[in-house]
Amino acid sequence: MEKAREEVVRLYGNRLRIRVCGICIENDKILMLSHRGIGNTDTFWCPPGGGVQFEETIHDALRREFKEETGLEIEVGNLLFVNEFMEPPLHALELFFEVKITGGRLYLGFDPEMTDANQIIQEVRWMNFEDIKKYPANEVHSLFKYCDSLADIYQLQGYLGAHIENRSDRTIEQIAYS
């Protein structure tokens, strides 16, 4: 895990990133990815998505990220909400869109910015709300703390804000490698 965490910090740390994320719900299950090297455990579940590249539209970025991470082709729907992800040294503005699958085949994809030895995507899985709530809050995306069901995700709107636990007694290096 340590090498993956170091690579995450090297690639994404200490800068503000713009990310796009897709909410894909079918048959009362949401498509989720498990990552390593993010947070203080080796598990972090969140909807598929990633960084927007220079001169790439937001919709194109989301389609590319979905294809890379899940093998699926999607149609991008409405912007649902904006979240500010802040887990120093990581900081991102995340734009969450509703998406629909239009093609492809589901498989565990990859993050092309990461080396083969340090891939952070561990698993892709359809999860119901009860599956998500079985994990500790720090191992799933913070959007789920605002929901009592998957349907509630569609009621989220506007800016969800940044949620940082009190870390005044720890340095950024301690947080990044804890």
Side-chain angles (χ1 to χ4, degrees):
M1 178 173 85
E2 194 64 34
K3 293 278 189 201
R5 187 179 312 281
E6 289 173 10
E7 195 153 341
V8 166
V9 170
R10 181 181 64 79
L11 289 169
Y12 310 125
N14 302 307
R15 66 184 63 105
L16 177 63
R17 294 182 67 221
I18 304 295
R19 296 186 75 248
V20 288
C21 305
I23 300 294
C24 185
I25 298 176
E26 292 186 356
N27 302 315
D28 294 319
K29 293 186 177 186
I30 185 170
L31 189 60
M32 298 281 283
L33 295 174
S34 174
H35 294 78
R36 65 187 183 123
I38 298 173
N40 58 5
T41 70
D42 206 18
T43 302
F44 183 73
W45 286 95
C46 63
V52 178
Q53 298 173 355
F54 183 71
E55 293 189 340
E56 180 179 44
T57 70
I58 288 171
H59 287 189
D60 286 346
L62 187 51
R63 285 189 286 269
R64 175 184 50 77
E65 288 289 344
F66 244 81
K67 185 71 171 166
E68 289 171 356
E69 294 180 348
T70 70
L72 297 173
E73 298 165 3
I74 58 162
E75 173 184 311
V76 180
N78 292 325
L79 174 65
L80 298 172
F81 57 90
V82 176
N83 182 66
E84 188 168 6
F85 180 90
M86 199 177 298
E87 283 284 329
L90 303 178
H91 185 188
L93 291 179
E94 300 174 313
L95 310 174
F96 279 83
F97 290 85
E98 183 176 9
V99 301
K100 301 279 187 228
I101 297 170
T102 60
R105 180 183 56 84
L106 182 63
Y107 60 81
L108 179 62
F110 63 97
D111 189 330
E113 291 92 5
M114 308 296 286
T115 61
D116 288 342
N118 292 318
Q119 284 294 307
I120 60 172
I121 301 171
Q122 301 182 104
E123 185 178 353
V124 60
R125 184 186 335 159
W126 289 100
M127 300 174 79
N128 63 35
F129 195 73
E130 292 73 29
D131 294 333
I132 293 165
K133 288 299 188 174
K134 287 178 187 174
Y135 286 92
N138 66 323
E139 292 186 1
V140 296
H141 195 282
S142 64
L143 79 94
F144 295 103
K145 74 170 87 178
Y146 301 104
C147 303
D148 292 318
S149 71
L150 290 180
D152 286 350
I153 294 172
Y154 296 114
Q155 305 307 311
L156 298 175
Q157 54 185 296
Y159 173 73
L160 297 186
H163 304 282
I164 305 175
E165 61 186 77
N166 183 357
R167 299 185 170 154
S168 59
D169 59 333
R170 297 168 66 195
T171 68
I172 294 218
E173 289 78 20
Q174 288 171 320
I175 294 165
Y177 299 108
S178 60

